[in-house]
Amino acid sequence: MGTDVRWLLAKDLRILRRSPLIVGLLIVYPVALGVLIGFALSGDNSKPRVAFLNEVSSTQQFQIGSGDNEIDRDLARDELCSRVECVDVSSREEAVQKVEDGDVIAALILPEDLLDKLNSLATLNPQQPQVEVLVNQDDPLKASLVDDRIQALITEANLILAQKISDEAANYLDLLVKGGNFSIPLVGDVDILGLNRAATLLDGVAKDVPPDSPAADALAQVNKFARLAGDNLHFALPLLGAIAEPITVDKQVVAGDTAELDTFAIAVAVTVTLMFVTVLLVAGSLALEREENAFARVTRGTVGPGGLLTEKLLLGVVASLAVTLLLLVALTALVSIAWGRTPLILAAILVGGAGFAAFGAAIGASAKEVRASSLLAFMVSLPIAFLSLVPSGTVSAGVFHAIEIVRALFPFDPALDAMQGALDAGGPGLGVPLLHLALIVAAYGALARVALRRF
Amino acid sequence: MAEGAAAIEAHGVGKRFGDRAALRDVSFSAAPSELLAVIGPNGAGKTTLLSILAGIREPDEGSVSVGGTVGWVPQAAALYRRLTVAENLRLFARLEGVADVEAAVERMLAQTSLGDRSDDQVGTLSGGNQQRVNIAIGLLSAPAVLLLDEPSTGLDPRQRERLWEFVLGLAGSGTTVIYSTHMLLEAERYGDRLLVLADGERVFDGTADALHAAAPGSEARDFEAAFVRFLAERGH
């Protein structure tokens, strides 16, 4: 039977070669899809494009106290553009145009009075500094993303300011406790005594004051105050540091092994390709045996229905391996693929391909004609793939449990897990999804075998 | 029936599809070199009988015994239209386990006069030529028994004449040929014996002359009229 399966496989590959439209659709379409995803990944997704207009004068500064903490327009730009991809614009109109056209997700405008208002915070007439954000809300999902991003940026900017202010306050406190030089504009450097030195001076003076003198009590009180203040204000320094960020976050992962976002996206692209190529090809190829009326003639000899089914699974695995490797090679030009893990990647492709091939065989054996099998393959595969991408927490626990049961019955979910695990050492382990896929091959293979009895 | 061991025998063959009995207790035998025509109305069970004799289906009752290989030519051409004539022959020769594949392919191309079309995809051939390829595939293993299901379907008169010349030559060489047909003229002209099926039952097994004589009042009628009368007399 092995030789017969080989001849049947050669026959199917020859028929494929003579069907350029089918080959084109099966190969070019998913590869193009994967490359598009690769293009999307190869751009730095962590940095959204934001139009930036800085109307603040280049000569202006926001100086915090008299220390080294100064904020000027260049510092503001540097901080912002290290977090987003800044697209400099020269006018508000240009910023509006770019947002409307979709060139950028939002526009951030620093008005010319920003630093004036920041400086006013230390005066008796404080004014609220404000930046202007322009957004395009035609897409609610994009609008939500933009809101989150901008809010995060502003929060971070406020955090930086608060940190600088608290740093400066800590410097002042340190100067107050220890003493030292203090620079006052237009006056120059002034030597500040400091509470510690004041207490030492007072100790010296107190020795020369008669104990029964009225000044002795007053001196003792001042000395005590200076010492207490010097000792206790020192403890305020870390408190000031905590003002800027009073609550920190300690994130711990207690469930779910997730790969890096890029790897997940690659795994999705590869698994979708694997699914479309293999399921459609095997379903259509098996149904074709009936349409050509060749099924009975082929299986009456030594091949048998089991041999034909084996050949179709092999066809699916061979085709999926070729197309998926082609996709990964194409993606390598755009994103980083862990080729050092090639044996694991091959295992994931082969077993995932077998799972999809068995699924396709069950569809082809049930549908019995090529068009119906193609339609059925598409209509069943696509919703299952979407269900497999539904994350927990987005639906109720009961609904998610039902989704998990449905997902477990089809090869997409374990194939995706296997691919993630193969591409990334930090992803899910390979053992469980490969075993799951093996069970799926057995189950759908049995279903196809039963359906072939009525073929 | 010709003397000697039968090339193929069927004993009490029955087949059901759900509640419907497609075949009921059908028994017959065919000798080497014999041409046996299987005729009957639509739904009589002709194709079901041939598929059981070919080993495509298993009978629910009874048995079939064959003294050699069986070649099968289904009614609808069973071949791959994207493969060439030669590729189809080569593939099925391999699947049938033919010892010398290339020799068998050359022989079939010569016998069916398709040598000049050997590299053409079957889908580009006319219906008649596709049927010739279909028959050639059935002959690849040089079978002792050849089963033909409606072999004249889609053939023009000249092609039909050529086909029967070929089939008669096979029978003359020792091949037992069992063929089903709607064309009673073919059955009468070429069949050594007729096996008449109706509603899954064997209602007649004998020569065309015997059937003609068995139909009352049919002396002046043609064979087709006699056949219709014969069935009507028996409630079919």
Side-chain angles (χ1 to χ4, degrees):
Chain A
M1 185 174 88
T3 311
D4 291 341
V5 167
R6 187 163 58 97
W7 293 125
L8 289 174
L9 181 61
K11 175 263 296 178
D12 278 336
L13 291 174
R14 188 173 290 125
I15 289 174
L16 258 185
R17 214 171 58 224
R18 291 174 185 165
S19 310
L21 182 60
I22 293 173
V23 170
L25 286 173
L26 283 178
I27 294 176
V28 173
Y29 177 73
V31 169
L33 184 67
V35 170
L36 278 174
I37 292 175
F39 267 123
L41 289 176
S42 63
D44 193 352
N45 269 341
S46 63
K47 288 191 178 182
R49 285 168 56 86
V50 176
F52 181 66
L53 173 62
N54 197 344
E55 295 179 329
V56 174
S57 165
S58 59
T59 57
Q60 272 194 302
Q61 284 180 342
F62 170 50
Q63 191 161 358
I64 303 171
S66 61
D68 296 327
N69 285 309
E70 295 172 348
I71 294 176
D72 59 20
R73 52 176 279 154
D74 291 333
L75 179 64
R77 189 191 184 288
D78 292 345
E79 287 292 336
L80 174 73
C81 298
S82 67
R83 289 160 177 76
V84 299
E85 183 184 340
C86 282
V87 178
D88 289 317
V89 295
S90 56
S91 67
R92 192 176 188 282
E93 290 71 28
E94 190 181 349
V96 169
Q97 191 63 50
K98 283 196 177 295
V99 172
E100 285 179 348
D101 292 345
D103 282 349
V104 296
I105 65 167
L108 182 63
I109 300 174
L110 304 187
E112 61 181 334
D113 62 355
L114 177 65
L115 290 187
D116 288 339
K117 287 185 177 177
L118 272 173
N119 283 320
S120 76
L121 292 176
T123 69
L124 293 174
N125 186 24
Q127 295 172 61
Q128 180 77 52
Q130 204 169 52
V131 298
E132 192 178 2
V133 174
L134 307 177
V135 296
N136 186 335
Q137 302 225 316
D138 61 346
D139 179 348
L141 192 64
K142 192 168 138 185
S144 173
L145 171 71
V146 167
D147 284 346
D148 287 346
R149 289 274 185 177
I150 297 296
Q151 192 57 48
L153 278 172
I154 298 301
T155 301
E156 201 160 346
N158 280 330
L159 196 64
I160 292 169
L161 273 173
Q163 188 65 54
K164 288 190 184 298
I165 291 171
S166 72
D167 285 348
E168 194 62 24
N171 287 340
Y172 282 150
L173 206 56
D174 202 48
L175 185 68
L176 193 62
V177 170
K178 295 175 186 168
N181 273 332
F182 181 66
S183 183
I184 302 173
L186 301 178
V187 173
D189 288 350
V190 175
D191 182 38
I192 302 297
L193 182 62
L195 291 167
N196 288 346
R197 283 161 61 191
T200 306
L201 278 175
L202 286 169
D203 281 341
V205 171
K207 285 179 192 164
D208 296 330
V209 172
D212 54 352
S213 164
D217 278 343
L219 201 59
Q221 282 181 39
V222 172
N223 195 358
K224 185 177 176 184
F225 166 74
R227 285 197 184 283
L228 274 174
D231 289 342
N232 289 290
L233 281 176
H234 181 73
F235 290 107
L237 285 172
L239 185 62
L240 276 174
I243 285 174
E245 194 175 3
I247 300 174
T248 57
V249 174
D250 175 24
K251 184 177 96 168
Q252 295 179 23
V253 177
V254 296
D257 296 320
T258 51
E260 297 290 328
L261 181 61
D262 284 5
T263 307
F264 177 73
I266 294 169
V268 169
V270 168
T271 308
V272 166
T273 296
L274 204 57
M275 176 181 73
F276 275 125
V277 169
T278 314
V279 175
L280 285 170
L281 177 63
V282 173
S285 178
L286 189 54
L288 186 67
E289 298 289 345
R290 194 171 187 273
E291 280 197 358
E292 297 276 57
N293 204 36
F295 175 76
R297 195 166 234 171
V298 166
T299 58
R300 70 184 281 258
T302 56
V303 172
L308 181 67
L309 198 55
T310 302
E311 182 265 325
K312 296 305 178 190
L313 295 186
L314 204 54
L315 174 70
V317 169
V318 167
S320 63
L321 184 66
V323 175
T324 309
L325 284 179
L326 180 66
L327 172 61
L328 283 172
V329 167
L331 283 176
T332 299
L334 304 165
V335 294
S336 172
I337 306 283
W339 285 112
R341 297 170 67 82
T342 295
L344 299 178
I345 293 173
L346 284 175
I349 294 173
L350 289 171
V351 184
F356 284 121
F359 180 56
I363 289 176
S366 305
K368 296 180 186 175
E369 59 166 23
V370 176
R371 274 173 289 190
S373 69
S374 300
L375 191 61
L376 192 59
F378 198 77
M379 286 175 65
V380 173
S381 299
L382 211 53
I384 297 299
F386 284 140
L387 276 182
S388 296
L389 297 175
V390 171
S392 62
T394 55
V395 294
S396 69
V399 170
F400 189 70
H401 187 61
I403 289 174
E404 281 187 308
I405 291 173
V406 172
R407 278 156 57 164
L409 299 176
F410 294 92
F412 189 90
D413 206 39
L416 180 60
D417 283 347
M419 194 52 61
Q420 285 186 82
L423 289 169
D424 186 357
L430 266 178
V432 170
L434 290 184
L435 181 62
H436 189 170
L437 282 166
L439 291 173
I440 280 178
V441 170
Y444 282 107
L447 276 175
R449 187 66 185 85
V450 168
L452 284 180
R453 284 194 199 140
R454 293 173 171 267
F455 208 49
Chain B
M1 195 170 74
E3 289 183 6
I8 185 168
E9 287 182 275
H11 298 282
V13 169
K15 182 69 180 176
R16 302 189 71 84
F17 295 109
D19 293 335
R20 187 175 71 87
L23 288 173
R24 275 180 294 204
D25 193 26
V26 174
S27 298
F28 72 94
S29 64
S33 296
E34 188 171 17
L35 276 119
L36 177 67
V38 181
I39 57 176
N42 287 338
K46 300 186 295 295
T47 296
T48 304
L49 177 63
L50 260 62
S51 64
I52 289 173
L53 297 177
I56 304 298
R57 296 183 197 279
E58 289 295 318
D60 294 327
E61 294 152 9
S63 64
V64 174
S65 57
V66 186
T69 54
V70 177
W72 176 60
V73 180
Q75 181 176 353
L79 29 72
Y80 296 102
R81 284 149 184 83
R82 288 260 187 203
L83 297 185
T84 65
V85 173
E87 286 167 349
N88 267 285
L89 292 172
R90 204 168 285 126
L91 171 68
F92 285 106
R94 288 181 174 130
L95 294 179
E96 299 256 0
V98 171
D100 190 341
V101 169
E102 293 305 318
V105 169
E106 289 303 319
R107 188 175 72 246
M108 285 303 108
L109 288 173
Q111 280 187 334
T112 54
S113 304
L114 287 169
D116 57 342
R117 307 297 300 270
S118 64
D119 293 329
D120 293 344
Q121 289 187 24
V122 168
T124 64
L125 302 182
S126 66
N129 281 336
Q130 288 190 18
Q131 181 64 344
R132 285 160 76 183
V133 179
N134 191 31
I135 293 170
I137 292 171
L139 291 168
L140 279 168
S141 59
V145 178
L146 179 65
L147 305 172
L148 302 167
D149 196 351
E150 311 268 355
S152 301
T153 305
L155 300 184
D156 62 33
R158 191 163 66 170
Q159 287 174 329
R160 278 206 297 272
E161 189 179 337
R162 230 183 277 159
L163 166 70
W164 284 109
E165 275 177 18
F166 176 67
V167 171
L168 289 170
L170 284 177
S173 306
T175 304
T176 302
V177 179
I178 301 175
Y179 65 99
S180 70
T181 181
H182 273 117
M183 299 181 188
L184 296 180
L185 188 62
E186 277 185 356
E188 185 190 21
R189 182 182 290 176
Y190 303 115
D192 295 324
R193 231 167 81 231
L194 306 181
L195 181 68
V196 179
L197 298 180
D199 295 321
E201 290 179 328
R202 187 195 75 172
V203 296
F204 180 83
D205 184 351
T207 63
D209 288 341
L211 187 145
H212 204 291
S218 65
E219 299 82 5
R221 294 174 187 269
D222 62 17
F223 180 72
E224 187 167 320
F227 175 71
V228 172
R229 195 173 179 87
F230 174 85
L231 288 177
E233 283 285 307
R234 283 149 185 81
H236 297 291

